[in-house]
Amino acid sequence: MSEFCVVNEQDEILRYDSKENIARKEIYRVAALWISNSEGKILLARRAITKTHNPGQWGPSAAGTVEKGETYESNIIKEAEEELGLKNIKPAKGPKFLRDDNKRRHFTQWFFLTLNKPESYFTLQEEEVAEVRWFTKKELEQEIEKHPEDFLPNMKSNLEKFSVI
């Protein structure tokens, strides 16, 4: 069973524990990858329908909960390889945010990568990712407006934050 980092509000590790034992008020670590291409399109991944949290919703290109012995960076490199089949990537470190909603609290460390590959290039991990798709910023804004239920709750704010980077 995987053990995840439980941290304080300064993102200092307090202990390691299984996801089931992390209380609602406790904070854990997540790494996420925002992939764009030279045309300014954004690659999103649709979560597998079998996922416990937010099944079937569009979210970042790759993401994962940081496990014992991992850094944010080593985690996102591992997740990108597992979920998308990407090898030997060197993503740029972006901002880190504390997400606190009614369900969970976690720091999300964002990473950015520019990649000019077609959707067919990616080898998807079926248990995690149903599909990937390149969106223009305008398409994504329109889709989020028309069908917000198809996207992770924070996708609109992420688009606003990251489309200028």
Side-chain angles (χ1 to χ4, degrees):
M1 180 177 291
S2 296
E3 287 190 304
F4 301 104
C5 303
V6 178
V7 299
N8 61 20
E9 296 206 359
Q10 290 73 46
D11 196 17
E12 299 164 332
I13 296 173
L14 301 174
R15 70 175 202 284
Y16 301 97
D17 217 328
S18 66
K19 215 166 206 173
E20 298 79 36
N21 290 334
I22 299 175
R24 153 65 190 105
K25 63 181 172 48
E26 293 183 303
I27 305 169
Y28 58 98
R29 290 176 169 175
V30 171
L33 182 62
W34 188 268
I35 298 177
S36 57
N37 66 18
S38 59
E39 298 173 9
K41 292 183 178 178
I42 303 148
L43 184 78
L44 295 188
R46 185 188 294 269
R47 295 171 58 83
I49 199 72
T50 55
K51 296 293 287 177
T52 306
H53 299 294
N54 310 106
Q57 290 185 323
W58 290 100
S61 308
T65 304
V66 179
E67 297 181 25
K68 184 177 184 178
E70 293 181 329
T71 63
Y72 284 110
E73 184 175 24
S74 68
N75 176 269
I76 202 57
I77 290 170
K78 175 191 80 172
E79 295 295 340
E81 184 170 350
E82 288 176 358
E83 295 178 10
L84 302 174
L86 297 178
K87 296 180 190 288
N88 302 315
I89 63 168
K90 295 192 182 345
K93 190 175 183 180
K96 179 171 57 174
F97 302 105
L98 177 60
R99 180 173 165 80
D100 191 350
D101 60 26
N102 293 331
K103 298 177 184 172
R104 17 187 198 284
R105 295 176 78 197
H106 55 80
F107 278 106
T108 300
Q109 174 64 64
W110 283 93
F111 292 88
F112 299 96
L113 184 67
T114 301
L115 194 63
N116 293 306
K117 300 289 183 184
E119 293 160 1
S120 60
Y121 173 82
F122 301 95
T123 303
L124 306 183
Q125 182 183 29
E126 293 177 10
E127 305 83 45
E128 298 286 332
V129 181
E131 65 179 303
V132 292
R133 180 176 155 203
W134 288 106
F135 291 85
T136 65
K137 181 182 178 197
K138 186 174 183 174
E139 285 174 324
L140 195 45
E141 287 170 338
Q142 290 171 344
E143 287 296 316
I144 292 171
E145 193 65 35
K146 284 193 282 187
H147 302 287
E149 70 281 0
D150 290 345
F151 296 86
L152 291 179
N154 56 346
M155 279 308 301
K156 185 174 182 177
S157 66
N158 289 341
L159 179 61
E160 291 166 358
K161 290 176 202 164
F162 303 148
S163 61
V164 296
I165 293 175

